[in-house]
Amino acid sequence: MIYVAVPGALQVALAVRGGRAPEVSVQEPATGPWPVVPAVLADLRWLPEPGHRDPPLILAYHDVSPTSTSPYAVTATAFAEQMSLLAAAGYTAISEGDVLAWLAGAPLPPRPVLITFDDGISGIWRYADPVLAATGMRATAFVITGMVGDRSGYYVSWAELRRLRDSGRWDFGGHTHDGHHEIPISADGTTGPFLTNREWLADTGRLETLAEYETRVRDDLAVQVDDFAGHGLGRPALFAYPFSAVDRPTNDPAVPARLRAAVEATFAASMTNESGAALTTPEAAAARELRRVEILGTTGLDEFAASVARGSPLPVSAGLPAGRWLDDDGHPVAGGAGPLTLRTAPAAPGAPAAPAAPGAAGGWARVRFAPDRTSWWTDYRVSMSLHGLGNAGQAAETVVSLLDGGSLPVRIGLSAGWLSVRSGGSGNVGGRDSGTAGGNAEDNRGETVRTLAEHSLPAAGSHRLDAEVTHGGRLRVSVDGTRVVETSLPVDPRHPVAGGIALVARARSNGGGTVIADALEVAPLTL
């Protein structure tokens, strides 16, 4: 008897030509080891260890194939190189259970990474799983259950999903039953994502009602849960939004809240994804809406490592390395532990206050230190010397924001002879006359800002500022070595007291100015 070895891809093609897809297709062996580029490995090993409450790195893939046939398909070789790099750099692939435990307050293992796949394409069985086995990694697949076992063989079968489950390397989450497509959303034939839009009902010439929308979405999610249970795969705890469509695009602003409520009622947490970099912030974690870094077929190994770095938190102990200060457009500005210069151009007469990059028109300039990557900072002390406060040709005020990007930002306004401390809001707020101690004001986004303290200071063009904040909401501020404020922030127990650092220079009316911050330091507090 003669045996002929037939490649897996050809076996699938022959089966489909015969009118069926095989219930279990052949896995392609992972032929490692895969060499790791020393310079790239060094870049990842250099990354600081995350803190015990920092979020995991979450990677989002779609498909793995022998060759990259679409922007969303990573080649098997590229995927193997990426997994080998993570393993060599000391990353620990975590499970769905690890994520849920972290959301409940448990610590994660060292350098945690959650590897995820959307859609349930057959490449996760044929090409991704052998690589995971060879590199000691694991993954979570978000499956469109209505497409499982389709006749073409493009999607995995239920039998393949059960084998993946039995390997101990895979968890499964929801990605809708039949909601990963667009639907008609107006009479002119415009279409939009299934989950974020009310459907146009051509038969009756109207949009479905909100109640009909909710029924359609909740029914789809319920069928998906039943699909998993009916095939012996248990109840999924995590959900990934198709197209990452959560609140847009939509044809009804009331839809996103209904969608979130439906997802929250069905799953323990949800996920979105972004290209380039994404880090789950405390606010996102509190809402149980986790952010992922999207990896595409066009992502080279250097860019993959850069995306991993950008999606990894910076601990307070890392200090203020150069190149991490960014303007409002996300561009790096000079600074770091050395001098940081903020220049404001004269504001146009009658022009509204608006964010401006250093040196741009608009009357004020803002820089932020590694936004998102510092969103989990808490229990820290910030020190800096500020020069150019209110003399002719200089800025009228500098605002140092602590807990920047969090739910309770603290803005310390410092001018030549005045100090103000405010909390809340995310926009720009005025100077000395914009609120009274213990009272409220509004920023330029209409959000409430509470004035915690105001003090006169000995007039000077330069001041040394030291401020510290704790996870319990305790704030202490010293100017020129003298403690001037010690107070408690209005903490909301539903949200952590956490966030990074920002600096704003505000110019005199109709005039520009320059503020220089030097001797910048940040250090963790020992409580």
Side-chain angles (χ1 to χ4, degrees):
M1 183 176 295
I2 300 175
Y3 292 90
V4 179
V6 181
L10 181 56
Q11 291 184 37
V12 172
L14 292 173
V16 171
R17 187 176 299 172
R20 63 175 180 82
E23 184 69 5
V24 177
S25 58
V26 176
Q27 285 189 319
E28 298 295 334
T31 55
W34 300 272
V36 175
V37 180
V40 179
L41 176 60
D43 288 343
L44 291 192
R45 282 182 170 166
W46 173 86
L47 292 175
E49 290 286 346
H52 74 283
R53 284 303 302 144
D54 285 339
L57 170 69
I58 308 179
L59 304 180
Y61 293 88
H62 287 81
D63 190 17
V64 177
S65 63
T67 58
S68 185
T69 55
S70 84
Y72 294 99
V74 176
T75 67
T77 298
F79 182 64
E81 290 173 347
Q82 293 164 7
M83 294 301 101
S84 295
L85 178 64
L86 291 176
Y91 281 82
T92 304
I94 61 174
S95 67
E96 169 194 275
D98 293 324
V99 172
L100 297 178
W102 172 73
L103 287 170
L108 288 167
R111 294 184 181 260
V113 57
L114 182 69
I115 300 159
T116 70
F117 285 86
D118 284 1
D119 304 336
I121 299 170
S122 62
I124 67 172
W125 159 256
R126 298 185 57 216
Y127 303 105
D129 183 58
V131 170
L132 296 177
T135 55
M137 307 297 268
R138 59 174 298 123
T140 297
F142 294 99
V143 180
I144 309 168
T145 57
M147 300 304 296
V148 176
D150 72 311
R151 291 177 63 86
S152 72
Y154 181 72
Y155 293 92
V156 288
S157 68
W158 289 110
E160 288 166 345
L161 288 177
R162 285 191 291 271
R163 290 201 182 186
L164 291 175
R165 185 269 320 272
D166 293 344
S167 74
R169 289 185 291 274
W170 290 83
D171 300 305
F172 303 112
H175 205 43
T176 73
H177 168 74
D178 186 27
H180 199 304
H181 59 86
E182 295 193 343
I183 57 173
I185 61 174
S186 67
D188 64 6
T190 301
T191 61
F194 176 96
L195 289 182
T196 57
N197 291 278
R198 290 165 58 192
E199 186 172 13
W200 177 259
L201 305 176
D203 291 347
T204 54
R206 64 177 178 87
L207 282 174
E208 65 184 351
T209 65
L210 273 173
E212 290 170 331
Y213 162 82
E214 282 192 274
T215 298
R216 172 170 60 84
V217 168
R218 287 179 181 266
D219 284 351
D220 180 272
L221 299 180
V223 170
Q224 176 181 228
V225 170
D226 291 343
D227 285 342
F228 281 111
H231 289 87
L233 294 175
R235 183 185 180 91
L238 303 178
F239 179 78
Y241 286 94
F243 313 115
S244 286
V246 183
D247 48 18
R248 62 183 185 275
T250 184
N251 59 358
D252 185 342
V255 159
R258 307 290 181 102
L259 172 59
R260 281 189 166 96
V263 171
E264 289 170 5
T266 310
F267 300 93
S270 61
M271 297 195 181
T272 61
N273 52 281
E274 301 178 20
S275 298
L279 184 73
T280 299
T281 64
E283 293 301 293
R288 292 181 166 252
E289 197 168 285
L290 312 183
R291 300 170 63 189
R292 302 181 292 173
V293 180
E294 188 171 41
I295 306 299
L296 302 173
T298 54
T299 304
L301 196 60
D302 286 340
E303 176 57 25
F304 174 80
S307 295
V308 168
R310 291 193 297 266
S312 301
L314 282 174
V316 176
S317 58
L320 300 171
R324 305 291 189 191
W325 291 98
L326 306 178
D327 64 21
D328 277 352
D329 293 323
H331 300 140
V333 298
L340 181 67
T341 301
L342 285 80
R343 295 184 177 89
T344 64
W364 64 289
R366 177 173 63 181
V367 293
R368 304 171 69 195
F369 183 76
D372 284 358
R373 295 189 67 185
T374 58
S375 61
W376 289 85
W377 278 16
T378 191
D379 296 327
Y380 63 89
R381 177 187 296 108
V382 174
S383 303
M384 65 186 71
S385 294
L386 298 166
H387 312 281
L389 302 176
N391 297 327
Q394 297 176 326
E397 184 181 29
T398 298
V399 177
V400 179
S401 290
L402 309 184
L403 308 178
D404 181 61
S407 62
L408 192 66
V410 173
R411 277 86 74 87
I412 303 170
L414 195 62
S415 63
W418 194 258
L419 172 82
S420 64
V421 180
R422 300 184 176 93
S423 69
S426 58
N428 186 26
V429 67
R432 177 176 174 176
D433 59 351
S434 65
T436 59
N440 294 334
E442 280 192 354
D443 63 17
N444 64 341
R445 298 179 180 176
E447 298 176 12
T448 299
V449 178
R450 180 179 178 183
T451 302
L452 300 178
E454 292 185 316
H455 287 276
S456 61
L457 300 171
S462 299
H463 287 296
R464 177 70 179 175
L465 175 70
D466 296 278
E468 56 187 54
V469 64
T470 71
H471 69 277
R474 197 67 183 164
L475 174 70
R476 300 179 181 91
V477 180
S478 298
V479 178
D480 300 325
T482 300
R483 176 72 52 80
V484 290
V485 174
E486 183 162 357
T487 187
S488 293
L489 303 176
V491 174
D492 183 340
R494 297 171 299 176
H495 302 284
V497 179
I501 305 170
L503 285 167
V504 177
R506 225 181 339 258
R508 288 178 177 274
S509 178
N510 298 323
T514 299
V515 164
I516 296 175
D518 62 14
L520 291 93
E521 300 174 357
V522 63
L525 292 175
T526 301
L527 302 180

